[in-house]
Amino acid sequence: MIMSLPEEDLTCPVCYDIFTDPVLLSCSHSFCRSCLKRCWDTGLRECPVCRKRAPKSSAPSNLALKNVCEAVLQVRRQSSLLEEEKKMNCNLHGEKLKLFCLVDKQPICVVCQSSKLHKGHDCSPIEEAVLDCKDELSLTLKSLQDKLDSHKRIHIISAGMIKYIKSQAVETQRLIKSQFKQLHQVLDQEESASIAAVKKEEEEKIAGMKDKIKELSAEVLSIADTISVIEGQLLEDEMVFLKNFKDTQDRGRSIAPDSDNMSGLLIDMTKHLGNLKYRVWEKMLDHIDYTPVTLDPNTAHPCLILSDDLTSLHYSKQPSCCPDNPERFHMSAEVVGMTSLGSGSHHWVVETGSNQDWLLGVASLSVPRNAEISARPENGFWTLCFRDGEFKAMTSPPTALTVTRTPKQVKVQLDYNKGTVSFFDPIDDTLIYAFTDTFTESLVPYFYTQSSHPLRIMPEKILVTMLRQ
């Protein structure tokens, strides 16, 4: 009977909930006593529904409505308890859920434990299972929270990396244009020199032809004059002719023989055009450097400054703004070469100059970049160290080395297949130290310094070899 009443008949029009201590106004509208008080505290003593003025006396309790509402709430509470109790009981057997199956990860009753479905499964009491499951979920929650924090950090870094990538692209394009401009200047100079050589030869050939024409003109006049004299003698009487014959004959013979050698008068086009591109390319080699190792700027510690051509490095106390990418060394002033070395023999020479604090050698490609570890072979480093005026091979423990002089250059030589990393003084190829090991992964040239004086990878001579087929 009670549950058949519409719920809106038992709902306060102010708080829209089941009446609590309902009161009845003369207009027949009912309200919770506390709801009506709040409305009347505003200063308007009227019905909140129909706005009819209410008497100044306190509104009487609606006992009948109060009893009905309490009965409804009692029924709700009992229904809720039944639902809670139902949740605590097994759906299959109606028994209380006292155990937790560790295999199927679900609460069970004692009957379920002996059934085929869970027979032989490890179980624990519900109280213990709640604690264990909460601990497990807490670990999962922490892992997810860490992952969320990591993703948020990566998201922030990624946004910054977009800006850095754009600046990288602009700087790289600027350096490319600068290097091509240098090559263009060399080509322009060679082009100007080649054209100037043609023009010079043109002027020399034309001047020679003018001199030859001048000589020919003088000879023409001389021959014409001699012809005129001979023709005149032929018209003289016999005695005069004979008297002048010897002089006339000598004059005719004094005319130089014809010079019809016209070779070598034209411009030598072969000299200017033969293998022109190759000859220019050979000259360009004098303006081009080749270094066997190029530094990877994406691995450089923020305090390392690399040259534009990526062949030298030095330390700066003022770190640069660069992204926290995984390839970068974060803990100490290190950088590695661009190309990984996996087989064969390789060498490069590093000019140390006035630098008094450096490590040189090779490192495994997988060495940690976000932790500070000792540069030892067991950690993937094979290096030579110079610090405080002393040379050391970074073995375990480091090996002090004695050298006859402090080299200004160090040659690093790797023979991957033989498993050797050797260091030489390139002046006389004196061996400073050699590591012998077995390499199991690719290696990269390795550099470290905390000096403002640069370490520079020296360029190598370029040898041109002609292949004839």
Side-chain angles (χ1 to χ4, degrees):
M1 178 69 178
I2 292 174
M3 297 305 293
S4 63
L5 291 172
E7 188 167 322
E8 58 266 21
D9 292 342
L10 306 177
T11 302
C12 172
V14 176
C15 65
Y16 300 103
D17 204 352
I18 299 297
F19 285 107
T20 301
D21 189 14
V23 295
L24 179 65
L25 298 183
S26 58
C27 57
S28 300
H29 292 123
S30 294
F31 306 92
C32 296
R33 185 180 297 279
S34 59
C35 293
L36 184 63
K37 182 177 183 304
R38 284 199 306 274
C39 292
W40 284 1
D41 285 345
T42 60
L44 297 175
R45 196 177 180 83
E46 58 184 20
C47 174
V49 175
C50 65
R51 301 303 178 185
K52 183 177 179 181
R53 294 191 63 81
K56 293 184 179 180
S57 58
S58 298
S61 297
N62 191 338
L63 295 178
L65 182 58
K66 179 180 180 182
N67 292 334
V68 173
C69 290
E70 288 180 351
V72 169
L73 292 174
Q74 181 64 25
V75 171
R76 282 188 177 182
R77 283 193 292 270
Q78 290 177 353
S79 176
S80 177
L81 289 174
L82 288 174
E83 287 294 327
E84 288 296 324
E85 186 176 349
K86 186 177 180 181
K87 290 179 181 178
M88 298 298 295
N89 293 336
C90 177
N91 293 333
L92 295 176
H93 308 107
E95 297 290 333
K96 191 171 182 180
L97 299 172
K98 294 183 178 181
L99 301 171
F100 184 76
C101 178
L102 299 176
V103 177
D104 297 320
K105 303 295 182 182
Q106 61 180 10
I108 61 174
C109 67
V110 292
V111 180
C112 291
Q113 186 184 20
S114 57
S115 67
K116 289 183 178 180
L117 190 62
H118 300 281
K119 191 171 184 178
H121 290 182
D122 291 336
C123 300
S124 66
I126 286 292
E127 295 79 7
E128 292 182 9
V130 168
L131 295 176
D132 293 342
C133 290
K134 282 187 176 180
D135 289 342
E136 187 174 338
L137 279 182
S138 294
L139 291 175
T140 303
L141 179 63
K142 185 179 183 306
S143 175
L144 290 173
Q145 188 63 51
D146 291 343
K147 186 174 289 188
L148 177 62
D149 294 341
S150 175
H151 278 59
K152 287 181 178 178
R153 182 177 63 84
I154 293 173
H155 184 272
I156 295 173
I157 291 174
S158 299
M161 286 183 72
I162 292 176
K163 183 177 179 181
Y164 187 78
I165 289 170
K166 289 181 178 179
S167 66
Q168 266 191 318
V170 171
E171 179 65 7
T172 304
Q173 292 174 37
R174 183 188 71 79
L175 294 174
I176 289 173
K177 289 180 178 179
S178 173
Q179 295 200 27
F180 270 98
K181 184 177 180 181
Q182 294 174 13
L183 294 176
H184 292 158
Q185 287 175 346
V186 174
L187 286 173
D188 289 342
Q189 290 170 4
E190 289 300 319
E191 179 186 3
S192 299
S194 298
I195 291 175
V198 174
K199 289 183 177 179
K200 181 180 179 182
E201 186 174 355
E202 176 192 11
E203 293 171 356
E204 290 174 350
K205 297 291 185 180
I206 290 175
M209 286 301 301
K210 287 181 178 179
D211 290 340
K212 192 170 186 65
I213 290 173
K214 187 176 180 181
E215 291 175 3
L216 288 172
S217 298
E219 288 183 9
V220 166
L221 290 175
S222 177
I223 293 172
D225 187 49
T226 301
I227 290 172
S228 178
V229 170
I230 293 173
E231 288 176 343
Q233 287 298 317
L234 290 173
L235 298 175
E236 292 286 344
D237 58 52
E238 294 177 353
M239 188 55 66
V240 174
F241 170 76
L242 290 175
K243 286 182 178 181
N244 296 328
F245 173 75
K246 185 177 184 302
D247 292 336
T248 304
Q249 188 180 39
D250 290 341
R251 182 170 181 172
R253 288 176 178 176
S254 66
I255 301 298
D258 292 341
S259 176
D260 56 356
N261 182 15
M262 301 293 286
S263 63
L265 299 179
L266 300 180
I267 289 178
D268 188 354
M269 295 179 66
T270 303
K271 179 181 71 174
H272 299 289
L273 296 177
N275 291 317
L276 175 62
K277 294 178 182 178
Y278 175 78
R279 288 186 287 107
V280 172
W281 176 70
E282 268 194 322
K283 290 183 178 179
M284 287 185 68
L285 294 180
D286 296 334
H287 304 272
I288 297 173
D289 290 332
Y290 170 77
T291 50
V293 171
T294 303
L295 302 174
D296 185 353
N298 293 336
T299 68
H301 185 273
C303 287
L304 286 182
I305 307 300
L306 307 187
S307 61
D308 287 346
D309 60 359
L310 306 178
T311 60
S312 71
L313 65 147
H314 68 274
Y315 184 82
S316 171
K317 293 182 179 179
Q318 185 64 38
S320 60
C321 295
C322 54
D324 189 20
N325 52 300
E327 302 90 347
R328 193 176 303 282
F329 286 94
H330 305 295
M331 304 304 294
S332 61
E334 303 164 275
V335 64
V336 295
M338 181 75 72
T339 305
S340 60
L341 313 172
S343 63
S345 180
H346 313 269
H347 73 272
W348 55 96
V349 177
V350 181
E351 184 181 64
T352 55
S354 302
N355 191 310
Q356 300 290 312
D357 186 5
W358 51 259
L359 273 79
L360 300 174
V362 296
S364 297
L365 193 60
S366 63
V367 293
R369 311 294 173 93
N370 57 354
E372 189 169 0
I373 59 175
S374 300
R376 305 285 193 272
E378 64 268 23
N379 296 329
F381 295 87
W382 295 266
T383 60
L384 183 71
C385 173
F386 183 66
R387 182 172 293 160
D388 299 327
E390 295 182 356
F391 278 96
K392 292 181 182 179
M394 299 306 288
T395 53
S396 295
T399 302
L401 303 175
T402 301
V403 294
T404 56
R405 64 174 179 273
T406 301
K408 296 300 181 181
Q409 295 182 353
V410 175
K411 178 182 177 182
V412 184
Q413 184 164 314
L414 165 68
D415 192 320
Y416 189 95
N417 299 336
K418 291 183 179 179
T420 61
V421 181
S422 307
F423 300 89
F424 298 89
D425 183 344
I427 296 297
D428 53 8
D429 225 25
T430 303
L431 178 66
I432 300 173
Y433 190 81
F435 289 89
T436 301
D437 212 326
T438 300
F439 306 126
T440 57
E441 62 174 292
S442 296
L443 306 177
V444 285
Y446 172 83
F447 305 83
Y448 163 91
T449 186
Q450 277 197 324
S451 171
S452 59
H453 297 283
L455 298 174
R456 187 166 71 96
I457 304 164
M458 300 299 292
E460 291 190 346
K461 293 281 187 181
I462 301 175
L463 179 63
V464 179
T465 302
M466 302 296 294
L467 296 178
R468 301 191 181 275
Q469 297 180 351

